[in-house]
Structure formats: structure tokens, C-alpha cells
Amino acid sequence: MAESSEGEEEAKLTGGNQHLVVDDDLREMAKKAAWSVSSCKPGNGVLSLRDDNLDTYWQSDGAQPHLVNIQFQKKVKLQLVVLYVDFKLDESYTPSKISIRAGDGFHNLKEIKTVELVKPTGWVYISLSGNDPRETFVNTFMLQIAVLSNHLNGRDTHVRQIKVYGPRPNPIPHQPFHFTSREFITYSTVR
Amino acid sequence: MQLGQLERSCRCIISIEAMEAILVDCVQNSRRHLLYRNAIFICERLCAEFPSETNLQLLAGCYLQNNQAYSVYHILKGRQMAQSRYLFAISCFQMDLLNEAEAALYPVNDPSTEVPNGAAGHYLLGLIYRCTDRRKSAIHHFKQALSIDPLLWAAYEELCILGAAEESTLVFGESASLCIQKQHLHHGVDYENLQASNEDHNLVSGGNFGSEDVSPRKFKHMNANNVRDIPGNYHGGVATGGAASQPLTNGPANISFYNTPSPMATQLSGVAPPPVCKNVQPNGPNAGLLGVEGSPRSTVNSTLQAPRRKFVDEGKLRKISGRLFSDSGARRSTRLAGEAGTNTNSNPTAATGNGASHSSKYLGGSKFSSLTFRSVTVRKGQSWANENFEEGIRHEVYDDSHSNVTTSSSSPSGDIRSFEQGATTMPMGGVVTSGSRVISGASEILALLRSLGEGYRLSCMYRCQDALDVYLKLPQKHYNTGWVLSQVGKAYFELVDYLEADRAFGLARLASPYSLEGMDIYSTVLYHLKEDMKLSYMAQELISTDRLAPQSWCAMGNCYSLQKDHESALKNFQRAVQLNSRFAYAHTLCGHEYVALEDFENGIKSYQHALRIDARHYNAWYGLGMIYLRQEKFEFSEHHFQVAFQINPHSSVIMSYLGTAFHALKRSEGSFGDDGEGYFSR
């Protein structure tokens, strides 16, 4: 699995992990979000993106670009987007060019990342970190994943699963840093 | 002809009574052997055949032991006997119908009724009041329970939790010692009835150690002048018993404090001849039947029967009582006087084996003596009513002695069988009976309870270091038990010394691997120490030990929480709450998980739920403080941390958070200046 390069340049991603492996300090954010898609075929709707089942998929049914919108109730820090796509199964339905946009709502989305997938077969990790090493996450109300084009020029796309990750909240509020040593963590809270 | 008819009807009645007696015996046998299904079946037949409230109480006891509180609710609803009210209250309490339970124990429209079952009734009432937030009343009743029965540790525990316990030296002190001695020496009937679990057969209802319940029943049966005698005897009193025995005994008259002689079983076995048993009819509840039985005989041929019976009775009584009083009187006086300093004849056969019988026979003996005295005098009066009265009384006495004699079952079947049974199986559960031994035994028990009580009280007040010092003074064999070690572990936990807590809890698990008490705290300790292996192992063990204990699910939840799987952790804690909604820590842990999932609203609800159950649960106060800190409501958070700190001033973590709150409020002069350094301070 190739690492994506920083910034908004296009990056090529090939391969794909069969197993989803995420750092311990990240957690899935999307449970509290509202998910919607630009179009879908009946029976292959947005639920299939969130059902933890890799056999079900979302199939779009309209003009490109196909959009997946993720809206949060408050600004959240997001760090990582992971998609499961499989060229071997979906061939021309496999997305090839993906653009990730963030903003406060539909009116002011701004693209923060673009990747190009080359025959992916599994989990594809797309990091949202900015160029600056201090910008590890993007703080936003809304995230939009746009499928701009598919492999073999397919019109519609299949995506089997999407997960969005952000950092865990600091167990000690109003503290700008996280404790890292075990001892400090042990005595840092009452349970 | 008349005699023939009489005999037939007598036999019929006797067989009916025998049937009831046999059924009762069978039920108690089954209960003793923990065969509850059998007990319930037979008891239901018993109640169908002989519907009486006492039999219903027996059935209720069977149901309760089989975890069928709802059944008890239905059969005992509205019943007014003391034991019925008590059992009904227990079933309501188990079904969470607290107001009905309270009404049964303490009827609103009749506040003068006595609380049934003395100490146990007061304790139950205290629990009800505590569950319904009436703290003062709860404290009052727990104190009452303790004053009646100083060995009711559970009441002292509740007082500690409520923060209203007196020092253990006061509670488990001199007065307690006297109380125990008094109870123990009048022990017999109570003990037996206890063992036969809550039968309101004669005088004493189950679970009652005090002599109080005995007296009221007695009152019902006594003439006014007799009443004075009996209580006098009970309260270690003076000469009435002795006086009664004077004409009948050739033993020494200068008997000290407890001069109520009791029959010697081995002698009785020789003495218990069939004719005696004819007079002695079975159960207390059948005392009524007794009257019935007596009357046909008497009414048919009163002139003939009465005098003959009288003669027989008197003769037998004389014989028996003579034996009783001569020997036992001396023996008892030797024992008791041993410390009182008077010297009397000592009977060489005063073996300790028989000593056991003495205490048990105490009650029987005392009544016996005074009754025989009365029977001697009253006979002269020759009134039929009196005769009946005495019959009833005497039968009660016999019943007592029978129940004392039979170790296992107190089913007063009142026949030779039980008598001899009792005779051969003498010592009841090793009950110590001689006065000095009771005193020393009591004082040892009280010394132990003093230490444990003081330790528990101090740890409830979060004076953990003092509590630890007290526990360390315990003898090794008590210190190395699950309960004490987990209290020690808990104390270290409150002091934020997780390593020592881990050690203590580890030892506790070795000592009692089946005990779940305090294991929820241990799981939190392991959570803090990030020992995921130990924690998951322990959680698995706990669940396999008891799936229905909230502590097991708390441990499992902590396991998931350690792995940052907060949703599963929350599910586990919610399961713990479902299993026991009055388990405050489960609510607090739910709150922590909600906060980790950033669901502050539910978090606040959970913490408040925990505080409703236990207002001194400082973890919940801390949790609320943390939420308000995150929401930047600094005033609120400072208040909550302040309360938590006041409850447990030794927790450095709370101290540092309090400092954080102060700092956020820009009140640096109020802070302790140890925001960061507080972590390792002790």
C-alpha cells in the first residue's frame, strides 16, 4: 500500500489492505454523522456503506461526480478516510479518481485532497493531514467524498465500505498535550 | 359406649393431628436437606389439608428459599400475624414493592404495632427507608436492630455507609456483651426455631434472637399474675424460678443469676414414657386442637376424666421435674456460680455434652418450673378453665423442650419419637452454654467485630490510612480472608495506591476465588495499571463464576474500555445496571463510558443516578465535575470537585482537578498549586 504524499497534489494509490488496521489513538467518527449520497440504485443505498459488510456495496445511479456527504453536528477533527474498493470484483465500477472536500456545508466545500487509485483491491487509506506537520487533522462540519471517474470509464461506481477517523479526545480536558507515559496516564484520572 | 365413641373420635383427631405433624416434619426435613421442590409440594398439600396461617408461613418460607418471592406475596397478602407480616415484607422487598413492604412492617394506621421479628424486622425496615431516601428513619431502625441484636453486622454496615455509625467500641461493647449473654443463655427455643427456619410454632418466630417476641406470646397465654413470673425468669431475674423449684427440688436453693434449671436430656429419655406424651400434644399451632382434644374427653366424662388426668399429670410432672431440678439445678448453679462465686453441689455427670442441652432446655425448664408450681397451686382451685389453660401452657412448655431437644427440626411432633430423637442427638450445633464460657465467647466475638467494624467505619469515612492500621491489627487468620483483604485493597484504591491495591486484591482472590465482593474495584485498579492480560483473565473468571453478578460485568466492561472499545464497554456496564439497579458503581462506570463517547447528556444522567443511590460516591461527583470542565462550566465543575474532595480528601487526582478548576476560574489563590505535581503526591 503506497503512502499518499502531502498536500493537494494528485497521488497514486495501488493495492489495498485486506485488513483494516488503524492506530489506537484514532477512533471512528462517523457514527454521529448524517450520511447521504448523490444517487443510488434501489437496494444498494447508503446503508451498505456503513453496514460493516464487505459484500454489500453502494451503487450510484446518475451523472458523475458521485458524491458521499458526511455531515456532523459540530466541528470535528478528522484525520483519516478509509475506503474499501475492489477492482477484481467491480472492474469498471471501481472508482479511480477521488476528491475529498471539506467545509461548513454544501455552499463552501473546498477540496483538501485528491487521490488516484490504480486497480485497488481492499482497504485504501487516505490521510487528511495537511502539508504542515502540525496540521494533523482537518477541523470541519462536513466532509464530501467525490468519485470523479471510474476505472475503464465506467459511469456508475461501487464502494463497499467507508470509514472516517479522527483523534480521540484528550481524557484530560483543557490540556493541550496528551500524556504518553503509562504512569502518568495511570494517575491522571479517577474512575 | 360413650368411652368407645370417645376413643374413636380421639383416635380420629389424633390421627389428623399426626397427619399434620408428619407433613410439617416432612417439609422441614426437605428444607433442611435443601430439597425445595419437595418441600413446596408437601407444604402445599399441608396447607390444603390444614389451612392455617402458620402452615402458610411455612409454605412462604419454602417459597422464599426457592426464590419465589411473588408466590409469597400472593399467599401472605393481608395476613396479620407477626411472622406473616415479616415474610410478606421480605417478599415485597425482593420484588421492589417498597411501600407495601413498609406498610406490612409498620402499618400506617396502627403505629403502635410492634415491628415483627425484632432485630430482623428493624433491619428490613431500615433497608426500606434507605432505599426510599429517608435517611434519618433508616438510621433509627438500624440502630434499633443493633441494640436488639448486637451481632447484626449488616445493620452496622448500613450505618457506616450512611455515615451515621458510632464508634465500634460503643456498639460492640459492654452492653452488647450483656445482650449476647442474655440471648444465648435463653437460647434454646430461638435457636431451634431458627434452624427450622422461621416457623411460628410456639413462641418464637424465626430470625429473632431477642426475648421480646417470646414474652408477648407468653402473655397471651398467661394469667396476669403468671405474666410477672415468666419475664422475670427471662431477664435473668430472680427468684421466681428458684422459688418455684424450691418445693420440687432438693438441689441447692442459693442459685445465682440464671437459676432456671433445665432438664437433662439423658435422664429425660428414661423418663419420657408414653403417658407423658399423651398429655403432650404436638404443635403450638395445634394448641388449639389440643383444647379440642381435651374437651371431648372432658365434656363427655368430666368427673371421671378430670381427676384421673390430673393425677397422671401431676405424678408425671413431679417425677420428671424432680429429676430435672435436682440435677440440673446443681449443675447450672455450678457453672454459673463458678464465676459468681457461690458454691454448690457439683454433679459429676455435668458433662459439657449435656451442657448443650441445658441452654436449650433453659426456656422449657424455666417455664416448666414456674408452671408446675402454678399447676400445683391452681389445681386446688379446680376450675376447668384453669385446667385447660394449664394444659395449653404445659403443652407449650413441652413443645419448647421438645423443640430444644431435637437438634435439627423443631417440629414439635411432641411424641416419644422426637423426644428420644432429641435425647440422643444432644448438643445443638456446639452451642456453648455455661455462663462464663458464654461471656468469654461473646467477648471474643465482640473484639473481632470491634476491629472489623472500626475498620469498615473508617474506610466508609475515607480515612483509609487509619482503616488500614486497624485491619492490620486483626489476627492473621481473619486478615487472610477474602472480605478483609478486599477491604484493604479498597482502602489502598481510595488512597490512589494502585500497586498496593493490586497486591491486596490479588491475595483476596487467592483466599476466596469465588467471592465477587469488591472485584469491581479490583477491575478498575487493573484498568488504571493498564494490565490488560490480568484484567481480561479476571473478567472471564468472574463471569464464569457468576453471570448474574453486576461485578462480573463491570470487570468485563473495564476490559473493553481499556481497549478503547467504549460502545461494548457501555453495553457491559448497562448489563450490570440491569442486574442490580442499586449498584452505584455500575452507573458511574456507564457515565464514564458515555463521556468517552462524548455523550455528555447521558453521562450526566448516569452520574446523577449513581448519586441518587449513594450520595457519597465520590467517583460520580468527580465524573460530573469532569463533564462540566469539558463544557467549560467552570463554576459547576469546581463545586463538584469540591464535594468529591470533601468526601475523599486523600485522592491526589481529585486534588489536582480541583486545582485545575480553580485555575480555570482564575482563582489561583484558592488552588493548591499542584496541578501537575499532584499526580505523585500522596
Side-chain angles (χ1 to χ4, degrees), chain B residues 406-431:
Chain B
T406 57
T407 51
S408 38
S409 120
S410 78
S411 87
S413 33
D415 49 19
I416 311 169
R417 192 172 49 89
S418 68
F419 219 44
E420 283 178 345
Q421 237 180 38
T424 49
T425 58
M426 257 343 285
M428 353 257 150
V431 170

Side-chain angles (χ1 to χ4, degrees), chain A residues 28 30 33-39 46 49-50 58 60 63-72 78 80-85 95-103 105-106 109-115 117 124-128 138 140 142-150 157-165:
Chain A
E28 236 263 288
W35 288 66
S36 58
V37 289
S38 59
S39 61
V46 68
L49 280 176
R50 297 295 305 155
W58 162 59
S60 63
Q64 287 173 351
H66 308 296
L67 310 166
V68 179
N69 309 302
I70 306 166
Q71 289 164 292
F72 297 93
L78 300 172
L80 180 68
V81 173
V82 189
L83 307 158
Y84 190 91
V85 285
S96 86
K97 223 174 181 180
I98 294 182
S99 157
I100 300 189
R101 300 118 180 226
F106 284 104
L109 289 172
K110 204 175 95 144
E111 187 177 274
I112 52 169
K113 195 84 172 190
T114 313
V115 290
L117 308 178
V124 174
Y125 296 77
I126 305 173
S127 165
L128 301 176
V138 59
T140 176
M142 176 172 172
L143 201 69
Q144 188 181 69
I145 302 171
V147 176
L148 303 175
S149 64
N150 293 318
T157 184
H158 282 177
V159 178
R160 291 176 180 262
Q161 198 73 358
I162 300 183
K163 288 191 187 291
V164 180
Y165 288 91

Side-chain angles (χ1 to χ4, degrees), chain B residues 40-159:
Chain B
I40 288 176
F41 179 79
I42 301 283
C43 207
E44 285 177 346
R45 298 305 107 213
L46 169 69
C47 289
E49 184 78 34
F50 303 103
S52 78
E53 196 162 333
T54 323
N55 290 340
L56 273 184
Q57 287 166 4
L58 184 58
L59 180 56
C62 297
Y63 280 138
L64 277 176
Q65 285 183 315
N66 201 30
N67 288 324
Q68 287 178 253
Y70 42 89
S71 312
V72 178
Y73 180 85
H74 282 283
I75 62 173
L76 285 184
K77 193 173 173 78
R79 300 285 176 164
Q80 289 306 315
M81 281 175 80
Q83 177 68 350
S84 307
R85 280 162 47 213
Y86 179 74
L87 292 171
F88 181 67
I90 290 226
S91 71
C92 287
F93 187 74
Q94 286 181 5
M95 297 200 297
D96 223 14
L97 299 169
L98 296 178
N99 44 353
E100 291 200 46
E102 184 185 341
L105 288 174
Y106 203 63
V108 174
N109 46 359
D110 192 7
S112 59
T113 32
E114 210 173 287
V115 174
N117 282 10
H122 280 289
Y123 174 70
L124 185 56
L125 254 185
L127 283 179
I128 295 172
Y129 283 131
R130 189 167 88 84
C131 293
T132 49
D133 269 340
R134 281 174 283 177
R135 192 171 166 271
K136 287 209 170 51
S137 311
I139 292 173
H140 166 73
H141 282 283
F142 287 134
K143 288 197 167 146
Q144 276 280 81
L146 265 181
S147 64
I148 297 172
D149 177 12
L151 293 179
L152 194 57
W153 165 263
Y156 188 69
E157 217 174 16
E158 295 290 334
L159 283 172

Side-chain angles (χ1 to χ4, degrees), chain B residues 96-224:
Chain B
D96 223 14
L97 299 169
L98 296 178
N99 44 353
E100 291 200 46
E102 184 185 341
L105 288 174
Y106 203 63
V108 174
N109 46 359
D110 192 7
S112 59
T113 32
E114 210 173 287
V115 174
N117 282 10
H122 280 289
Y123 174 70
L124 185 56
L125 254 185
L127 283 179
I128 295 172
Y129 283 131
R130 189 167 88 84
C131 293
T132 49
D133 269 340
R134 281 174 283 177
R135 192 171 166 271
K136 287 209 170 51
S137 311
I139 292 173
H140 166 73
H141 282 283
F142 287 134
K143 288 197 167 146
Q144 276 280 81
L146 265 181
S147 64
I148 297 172
D149 177 12
L151 293 179
L152 194 57
W153 165 263
Y156 188 69
E157 217 174 16
E158 295 290 334
L159 283 172
C160 290
I161 293 173
L162 287 171
E166 299 164 332
E167 274 191 56
S168 65
T169 40
L170 294 174
V171 176
F172 299 117
E174 275 310 302
S175 50
S177 176
L178 288 173
C179 207
I180 297 179
Q181 289 166 40
K182 214 190 314 180
Q183 290 165 4
H184 223 71
L185 291 169
H186 294 289
H187 194 239
V189 183
D190 302 332
Y191 192 55
E192 288 317 309
N193 280 339
L194 253 191
Q195 290 202 319
S197 51
N198 300 345
E199 291 194 42
D200 194 14
H201 270 258
N202 255 333
L203 305 169
V204 191
S205 29
N208 171 33
F209 278 109
S211 51
E212 295 159 7
D213 269 5
V214 181
S215 333
R217 278 297 289 278
K218 269 309 215 178
F219 287 169
K220 292 181 208 151
H221 294 283
M222 298 298 175
N223 292 331

Side-chain angles (χ1 to χ4, degrees), chain B residues 189-472:
Chain B
V189 183
D190 302 332
Y191 192 55
E192 288 317 309
N193 280 339
L194 253 191
Q195 290 202 319
S197 51
N198 300 345
E199 291 194 42
D200 194 14
H201 270 258
N202 255 333
L203 305 169
V204 191
S205 29
N208 171 33
F209 278 109
S211 51
E212 295 159 7
D213 269 5
V214 181
S215 333
R217 278 297 289 278
K218 269 309 215 178
F219 287 169
K220 292 181 208 151
H221 294 283
M222 298 298 175
N223 292 331
N225 52 351
N226 296 340
V227 167
R228 267 175 267 124
D229 295 344
I230 299 297
N233 268 343
Y234 284 17
H235 297 289
V238 192
T240 38
S245 63
Q246 289 285 2
L248 301 169
T249 180
N250 38 356
N254 55 338
I255 306 175
S256 59
F257 205 47
Y258 302 103
N259 62 358
T260 50
S262 69
M264 251 267 283
T266 52
Q267 297 199 328
L268 276 176
S269 51
V271 166
V276 173
C277 296
K278 210 199 291 175
N279 298 334
V280 182
Q281 284 307 331
N283 315 337
N286 289 337
L289 267 177
L290 252 190
V292 170
E293 183 233 359
S295 36
R297 270 195 282 176
S298 52
T299 49
V300 168
N301 218 335
S302 52
T303 48
L304 263 180
Q305 297 291 345
R308 196 183 50 150
R309 212 174 35 251
K310 261 194 280 184
F311 173 76
V312 164
D313 298 343
E314 218 175 288
K316 288 299 167 211
L317 283 175
R318 280 265 170 83
K319 224 201 295 184
I320 299 168
S321 53
R323 298 275 196 105
L324 298 176
F325 298 163
S326 57
D327 292 327
S328 54
R331 251 197 311 275
R332 167 155 298 98
S333 62
T334 326
R335 273 180 284 108
L336 293 177
E339 56 157 24
T342 55
N343 74 2
T344 53
N345 307 341
S346 57
N347 191 326
T349 62
T352 47
N354 286 323
S357 68
H358 282 259
S359 74
S360 59
K361 289 299 200 324
Y362 239 103
L363 220 43
S366 64
K367 276 177 293 183
F368 206 100
S369 61
S370 44
L371 286 169
T372 49
F373 181 57
R374 244 176 290 109
S375 66
V376 168
T377 50
V378 171
R379 282 241 156 71
K380 298 183 192 134
Q382 285 206 17
S383 81
W384 179 240
N386 271 355
E387 292 253 345
N388 254 350
F389 231 31
E390 283 161 20
E391 294 256 324
I393 297 166
R394 195 167 38 250
H395 296 308
E396 272 189 23
V397 171
Y398 265 106
D399 292 337
D400 287 345
S401 45
H402 287 178
S403 56
N404 296 344
V405 172
T406 57
T407 51
S408 38
S409 120
S410 78
S411 87
S413 33
D415 49 19
I416 311 169
R417 192 172 49 89
S418 68
F419 219 44
E420 283 178 345
Q421 237 180 38
T424 49
T425 58
M426 257 343 285
M428 353 257 150
V431 170
V432 176
T433 60
S434 81
S436 55
R437 288 168 67 179
V438 168
I439 290 173
S440 66
S443 64
E444 280 182 32
I445 295 173
L446 288 174
L448 182 63
L449 287 182
R450 265 200 294 275
S451 309
L452 293 173
E454 193 62 15
Y456 193 76
R457 188 181 72 96
L458 288 169
S459 61
C460 281
M461 294 199 302
Y462 294 99
R463 286 170 49 186
C464 301
Q465 195 52 55
D466 299 334
L468 285 169
D469 296 331
V470 170
Y471 284 130
L472 276 173

Side-chain angles (χ1 to χ4, degrees), chain B residues 24-37:
Chain B
V24 168
D25 200 31
C26 176
V27 170
Q28 284 166 338
N29 231 351
S30 302
R31 282 175 83 181
R32 206 171 46 250
H33 293 298
L34 311 175
L35 301 173
Y36 297 129
R37 281 179 58 87

Side-chain angles (χ1 to χ4, degrees), chain A residues 169-189:
Chain A
N170 193 341
I172 304 148
H174 298 288
Q175 191 173 275
F177 48 86
H178 279 245
F179 286 135
T180 46
S181 89
R182 213 183 80 160
E183 289 209 311
F184 265 80
I185 295 174
T186 298
Y187 295 108
S188 63
T189 58

